[in-house]
Each structure stands twice: as C-alpha cells, then as structure tokens.
Amino acid sequence: ELGLGLMNEMESLINKLKGGMDPNFRLFITALPNPEFPLGLLQMCSKVTNDPPAGLRAGLLRSYTPGVMVDQDRLERVDTPLWRQLIFALCFLHSIVQERRKFGPLGWCIPYEYNNGDLQSCMLFLEKHLYNGEISWGTFQYMVSDVQYGGKITDSLDVRLFRTYTKEWLTERTCEEDFSFTPASPLLKIPD
C-alpha cells in the first residue's frame, strides 16, 4: 500500500530503460496482493509465491525442513523435556491453522494471513520463557492465541476457536507420553 505510487513510476521507468538494460539485470520486488498494483509491471515480471504446503503432513514436514523453521540446532537449544514436545505442538498448531485457510469461510470466518513468522515468534517466546524457569501454561497459551497469532484475528468465533486449540494442544498434558492429537475414541460414522 505504501509503495503503490512508486510501483507506477517503476513500471514507466523500466519501460524507458528496457532497451539499454544489461541482460543480467534483476530487480526483486516483494509485495502483498493488491488490486491497485500496476498490471503492466506484474505482467513483465517473474512471479514467485510462497504458498503453504497442502495437507497437514506436508505442513509438519515443511516445518521440520532444515533451514525453514526447525532444525537440529533449534531442537538442541533448550535442555528440557518440554522443549521438543512443545515445538512439535506449535508446528502441529501452525499446520492446522494453515490447512483451515483452504476451506474459506468454513475454515476461518475471515481469511487471515498467517505465515512462518507467526510460528517463529511463538517458538522464540517459548524458548525465552523456558530459559526463565517453570512454564506458565496460561501465559504461554495467551501469548500464542491472543498475541502472536491472535493479534491478527478479528472475528469472535475465530478467537474462540484459536483459544480452544491452545487450551487443548498447548498444555502440560501435551508433554505426557501417551498424549495424542487425535480423539481418544475413534470418530464413528452416523448410525443408520
């Protein structure tokens, strides 16, 4: 939004200089989707998008891809049994949040732009919180559901859903050996 005027000027500047440009010249522009972005500039560019992976499993695998979010160095930063389990819980939560976006208004009442930065800030908060000693579950849940991710959420039903996720998945129970992210009893079909 702040650079739309510059983008209009950029389009005409590139058109003027196009003939005399070095063939190795590259200009990288980062932008969010905007209907006012100059169409001509968009058409003359190579576009790269960073869409979330499709599926819960793919989302989790991407979170654990070295260099993306979680690598061996990050897993070894904090020497407490809670650390690895809670990193996985955060990655699971992030993957669920990303996956729900695909379902439009059935997933979230309002489409939110969640990204790896949200997960990164949650992991950083958790790391600093664990360095300070015993974890405060209420604080951890609040920071994830109401501040890190929740700072973007404006719909009351979406807020409620996100708080439910954190109350179910970011608890002391999550770190127990027999914890499962799936229901204890299987979901059965509706009886005939």
Side-chain angles (χ1 to χ4, degrees):
E1 191 175 305
L2 297 175
L4 286 175
L6 176 64
M7 292 302 108
N8 286 323
E9 291 176 32
M10 187 67 65
E11 180 181 6
S12 57
L13 181 65
I14 290 174
N15 281 329
K16 286 179 193 171
L17 300 174
K18 203 181 243 183
M21 275 188 205
D22 183 314
N24 293 321
F25 174 77
R26 300 289 181 268
L27 174 64
F28 293 89
I29 299 172
T30 303
L32 291 173
N34 189 309
E36 296 176 29
F37 195 89
L39 187 58
L41 181 60
L42 195 58
Q43 289 173 339
M44 71 172 78
C45 295
S46 297
K47 290 154 282 299
V48 177
T49 62
N50 188 11
D51 291 332
L56 182 59
R57 182 176 182 189
L60 281 167
L61 287 173
R62 182 169 188 232
S63 295
Y64 279 89
T65 301
V68 176
M69 294 303 298
V70 180
D71 55 14
Q72 194 62 36
D73 179 53
R74 182 176 294 277
L75 289 173
E76 294 173 356
R77 281 188 192 168
V78 181
D79 189 27
T80 156
L82 299 175
W83 175 243
R84 287 179 183 231
Q85 286 95 342
L86 291 176
I87 287 292
F88 182 82
L90 285 172
C91 290
F92 182 83
L93 173 69
H94 183 72
S95 294
I96 290 288
V97 165
Q98 294 286 48
E99 194 63 19
R100 286 189 70 94
R101 287 175 39 187
K102 290 192 320 190
F103 298 102
L106 295 176
W108 297 105
C109 295
I110 297 173
Y112 303 104
E113 289 298 321
Y114 299 118
N115 57 46
N116 287 348
D118 299 311
L119 176 57
Q120 189 80 29
S121 60
C122 289
M123 288 191 292
L124 184 62
F125 173 78
L126 176 62
E127 181 180 344
K128 302 296 180 203
H129 194 67
L130 287 173
Y131 279 140
N132 290 329
E134 189 82 15
I135 190 167
S136 165
W137 294 103
T139 303
F140 181 44
Q141 292 167 353
Y142 172 78
M143 288 300 291
V144 172
S145 69
D146 292 311
V147 178
Q148 308 294 359
Y149 284 92
K152 298 177 181 179
I153 301 175
T154 55
D155 184 81
S156 62
L157 292 174
D158 292 339
V159 169
R160 198 164 112 192
L161 175 64
F162 213 102
R163 285 182 181 158
T164 301
Y165 282 157
T166 58
K167 285 187 169 110
E168 288 297 315
W169 296 334
L170 303 180
T171 65
E172 199 168 9
R173 251 187 15 252
T174 307
C175 301
E176 293 172 2
E177 196 170 312
D178 61 340
F179 178 80
S180 173
F181 287 94
T182 58
S185 59
L187 298 174
L188 304 173
K189 68 178 186 119
I190 298 172
D192 295 328

